[in-house]
Amino acid sequence: MVSNSTSGGDIVLEGVTKRFVTPTGQAMTAIRDVNIKIGAGKFCAIVGPTGCGKSTTLTLTSGLDTLSAGTIHVAGRPVMGITPGVGFVFQNDALLPWKSVIANVAFGPLMNGIPKAQAMEKAREWLATVGLTGFENHYPHQLSGGMRKRVQLAATLINDPSLLMMDEPFSALDVQTRAIMTNELMNLWEQSKPSVMFVTHDLEEAIAIADQVVVMTVGPATVKDVFEIDLPRPRGAIQDIRFQPRFLELYKLIWNSLREEVERSYAMAAAKRETA
Amino acid sequence: MMNGGRDIDLAQLAKQRAQRYRNLVLLGRIGTLVIFLGLWQILTDLKIVDPFFFGSPIGIVKRLGDWFVNGTAYGSFWYQIWVTMEESILGFVFGVLAGVFFGVLLGEIPLLSDIMTPYIKMVNALPRIVLGSIFVIWLGLGLPSKVMLAAVLVFFVVFFNAYQGVKSVDRNLVAHARILGASRLDLVRHVVVPSATSWIIASLHVALGFSIIGAIVGEFLGAQHGLGLVISTAQNNFDTNGVFGAMLVIGVIAISAEGLMGLAEKRLLAWRPASANDGARNSI
Ligand SMILES: Nc1ncnc2c1ncn2[C@@H]1O[C@H](COP(=O)(O)OP(=O)(O)OP(=O)(O)O)[C@@H](O)[C@H]1O
Ligand SMILES: [Mg+2]
């Protein structure tokens, strides 16, 4: 199932709807009629108010959960079971707490039948890439939150995914580490060109790295706007690009779209508080 | 810089205070034991309480000495101890293996667990000790009937914990492992069982006690050897010191087994963050 550095296929979501049964037994629509098209090897950032259904969208695309309605195609094939070649950096901690850092990173290759010595060697290289050499034998609970996140990145990227789901992967990192990791991610992406869905709350980050920014509405979420980011690549360091005029223009445009939703989300929360 | 010396003084002082406290606890424990045994001895010596019913510490020691030196009516005392231990250990091992296996199986296959739940609850509600009589009828007076009873007692404790452990696996971890390419069997091996291990281990302490109870009760119900037989013989002879003596031996066995398990537990759960009261071991 490990792809050989081939670039990812395109991702097409059509009329995707997901309903959950809440603990009180009611049906609750998390996302409704979502349509997103991501070209092969493209980088798509998703922004939207909290709780609107961004994580749900990624979960469905990766094949971890089933749709209530609609279809998702990846590289032309409908999603059924875990999508082949997918990698997923989860929003929450997902490292196996009983495995050491190196065993966590080597887990993916081992599950894919790569011999142990080779998997360990590869894991060591990836730990070096995320700057965690020397922490091989620590257990996850002995690391800081940011370090755990980096291990998780390594554990995902080591499988060389052709399709990459990233759910706020850098939110636990400090500003400097975040900049380094973002640049590192861009380098890796330029090399193997997976198709990426990247959820973030940081609009600057979204514009700086993505080909396309999707703005979602408050829950039940649907796609509000899609913005093509026409900044030339390679874009170089994220820190510099955000002062370019085109960047600022795009930022203003997208922020206007997003702000409405965020404000509505807060207004709805406030209304709920009053009725409660 | 300036108060470096004072820091050392403070650390030294704290260490001394902790040591003094530990000594005090130890002294208190020994004192409690001495007073308890002393009172028991004196009260029975003075016939304030009847030594026939309550025995006495010296009587117990003499009884045990006699058993260890001269043996019992059915062989050496060491052999009786060994028989009971063998029954408990075998019962413990079979019970734990079966409990973990079925706990994981039912935890992983909801349909199976939905079908089986009422029956398991029913069997669990039975006073399982009476099963001992059936096992004696089925399997005779030898070792198998005791092992069976011990295993059944152990099974239910471990089974429920293993099942609960499987049910409370973090779904996020399962999703992570599935994305990385884990098959169903890989999931059980690398995610489900390790995650249920802390639940299972918690049950092992209770299970250990049950395995000894199972063996002894089994021997009570009918046996040719073992500490349970020693106790029931002593009981029939109104040999109070004998009953207490055998009890003491069982207690020593149970505590040693508990200690061994503590060591095993530490190995198995090395990955866990230190709990609040043994944090001192990891931090300086
Ligand atoms: N397994 C589930 N069962 C019931 N409801 C769920 C489940 N998963 C998500 N939801 C609901 O679906 C909605 C969308 O959740 P989701 O996690 O996709 O939001 P999000 O956009 O990722 O939010 P955030 O930015 O805070 O991470 C929420 O209201 C949530 O309560
Ligand atoms: Mg989310």
Side-chain angles (χ1 to χ4, degrees):
Chain A
M1 222 188 261
V2 182
S3 61
N4 302 318
S5 265
T6 49
S7 88
D10 57 334
I11 306 170
V12 182
L13 289 82
E14 278 171 324
V16 174
T17 299
K18 178 68 186 175
R19 286 183 215 96
F20 289 110
V21 180
T22 60
T24 53
Q26 292 155 318
M28 180 272 199
T29 308
I31 58 175
R32 94 190 120 83
D33 198 23
V34 168
N35 298 293
I36 300 177
K37 242 194 193 101
I38 303 166
K42 292 290 179 194
F43 203 116
C44 171
I46 300 176
V47 294
T50 175
C52 75
K54 302 180 295 296
S55 300
T56 305
T57 308
L58 298 204
T59 308
L60 295 176
T61 310
S62 66
L64 277 170
D65 207 346
T66 52
L67 315 181
S68 305
T71 57
I72 301 180
H73 285 81
V74 173
R77 264 173 310 197
V79 167
M80 252 194 305
I82 303 291
T83 312
V86 72
F88 202 138
V89 182
F90 290 91
Q91 185 170 11
N92 305 320
D93 247 348
L95 295 173
L96 302 175
W98 40 84
K99 286 190 188 289
S100 64
V101 164
I102 183 117
N104 260 294
V105 178
F107 186 71
L110 285 174
M111 289 301 104
N112 287 294
I114 290 174
K116 178 143 189 187
Q118 214 176 318
M120 287 306 210
E121 188 49 44
K122 216 172 157 195
R124 218 161 264 131
E125 283 164 23
W126 270 101
L127 279 178
T129 306
V130 296
L132 284 174
T133 300
F135 289 94
E136 285 85 355
N137 297 316
H138 282 59
Y139 285 105
H141 77 85
Q142 294 166 322
L143 303 181
S144 73
M147 288 156 112
R148 277 203 291 276
K149 203 82 210 190
R150 282 185 275 157
V151 177
Q152 216 163 309
L153 274 171
T156 300
L157 296 176
I158 194 173
N159 263 2
D160 204 357
S162 57
L163 186 68
L164 188 52
M165 309 280 120
M166 303 187 91
D167 199 347
E168 302 184 35
F170 300 141
S171 56
L173 304 181
D174 63 277
V175 182
Q176 291 85 2
T177 314
R178 190 176 179 140
I180 295 170
M181 292 306 299
T182 310
N183 288 336
E184 192 63 44
L185 174 69
M186 291 325 287
N187 287 339
L188 290 164
W189 176 72
E190 309 258 4
Q191 276 167 36
S192 57
K193 283 283 174 146
S195 312
V196 184
M197 292 173 88
F198 186 101
V199 172
T200 179
H201 281 290
D202 183 344
L203 194 49
E204 273 193 4
E205 180 178 65
I207 299 171
I209 60 183
D211 294 308
Q212 163 187 348
V213 175
V214 172
V215 179
M216 295 187 89
T217 65
V218 283
T222 189
V223 174
K224 182 177 183 193
D225 284 313
V226 179
F227 298 90
E228 297 297 327
I229 308 299
D230 48 11
L231 297 166
R233 288 190 189 273
R235 296 186 186 157
I238 304 297
Q239 302 82 286
D240 307 328
I241 192 181
R242 62 171 173 228
F243 299 112
Q244 292 180 14
R246 180 62 186 148
F247 183 99
L248 296 170
E249 216 173 298
L250 283 165
Y251 186 92
K252 221 175 269 167
L253 206 63
I254 303 175
W255 172 239
N256 278 334
S257 169
L258 179 60
R259 191 179 51 196
E260 264 174 44
E261 293 310 315
V262 174
E263 279 166 0
R264 267 179 59 200
S265 136
Y266 280 115
M268 273 166 68
K272 219 176 255 170
R273 246 198 326 273
E274 267 158 37
T275 53
Chain B
M1 299 294 127
M2 289 294 286
N3 56 20
R6 283 196 47 201
D7 277 353
I8 291 169
D9 284 351
L10 276 177
Q12 201 71 34
L13 214 67
K15 214 183 270 172
Q16 277 171 10
R17 203 174 294 153
Q19 184 61 44
R20 224 175 299 145
Y21 182 75
R22 274 199 294 275
N23 289 343
L24 190 67
V25 169
L26 189 64
L27 201 71
R29 282 179 185 166
I30 294 171
T32 309
L33 186 68
V34 167
I35 291 170
F36 175 73
L37 292 179
L39 270 178
W40 186 0
Q41 187 64 47
I42 291 166
L43 289 176
T44 47
D45 274 352
L46 299 176
K47 300 274 188 305
I48 296 173
V49 299
D50 191 342
F52 180 77
F53 289 118
F54 291 92
S56 73
I58 291 177
I60 293 170
V61 171
K62 278 188 183 150
R63 194 82 200 77
L64 280 175
D66 178 43
W67 274 340
F68 277 115
V69 174
N70 302 321
T72 61
Y74 17 81
S76 91
F77 193 55
W78 287 111
Y79 182 64
Q80 313 311 317
I81 293 177
W82 167 243
V83 167
T84 301
M85 277 176 65
E86 194 181 7
E87 290 160 356
S88 314
I89 292 168
L90 287 176
F92 181 76
V93 170
F94 288 134
V96 168
L97 289 180
V100 171
F101 178 78
F102 284 102
V104 172
L105 193 71
L106 265 65
E108 277 290 289
I109 306 175
L111 176 65
L112 195 61
S113 85
D114 285 341
I115 293 173
M116 296 308 290
T117 300
Y119 301 112
I120 291 169
K121 285 204 170 130
M122 221 159 70
V123 177
N124 186 43
L126 284 176
R128 286 181 299 276
I129 297 291
V130 298
L131 287 175
S133 301
I134 296 180
F135 294 149
V136 170
I137 295 173
W138 287 352
L139 302 167
L141 294 180
L143 178 116
S145 59
K146 285 80 190 171
V147 172
M148 192 72 182
L149 181 59
V152 167
L153 295 186
V154 169
F155 172 82
F156 279 96
V157 185
V158 176
F159 168 79
F160 282 115
N161 269 52
Y163 179 78
Q164 204 56 48
V166 170
K167 282 288 168 198
S168 53
V169 168
D170 185 346
R171 307 201 29 166
N172 217 21
L173 298 186
V174 174
H176 174 70
R178 280 180 67 200
I179 289 279
L180 291 178
S183 66
R184 185 85 188 253
L185 220 59
D186 290 328
L187 281 181
V188 170
R189 186 166 151 223
H190 293 284
V191 183
V192 174
V193 169
S195 151
T197 299
S198 25
W199 285 77
I200 293 168
I201 294 223
S203 74
L204 293 189
H205 290 276
V206 181
L208 190 71
F210 272 176
S211 72
I212 297 174
I213 293 174
I216 305 261
V217 170
E219 288 163 359
F220 248 89
L221 295 173
Q224 285 147 337
H225 296 288
L227 288 173
L229 180 63
V230 171
I231 293 180
S232 77
T233 311
Q235 175 196 328
N236 292 336
N237 297 334
F238 290 97
D239 176 7
T240 317
N241 286 329
V243 175
F244 278 128
M247 236 163 76
L248 185 66
V249 173
I250 293 167
V252 170
I253 294 172
I255 288 178
S256 325
E258 183 76 19
L260 280 179
M261 200 149 74
L263 291 180
E265 182 177 352
K266 222 183 265 164
R267 261 193 66 87
L268 276 169
L269 295 181
W271 57 268
R272 267 213 310 212
S275 63
N277 46 19
D278 56 21
R281 248 179 273 136
N282 284 3
S283 54
I284 304 170

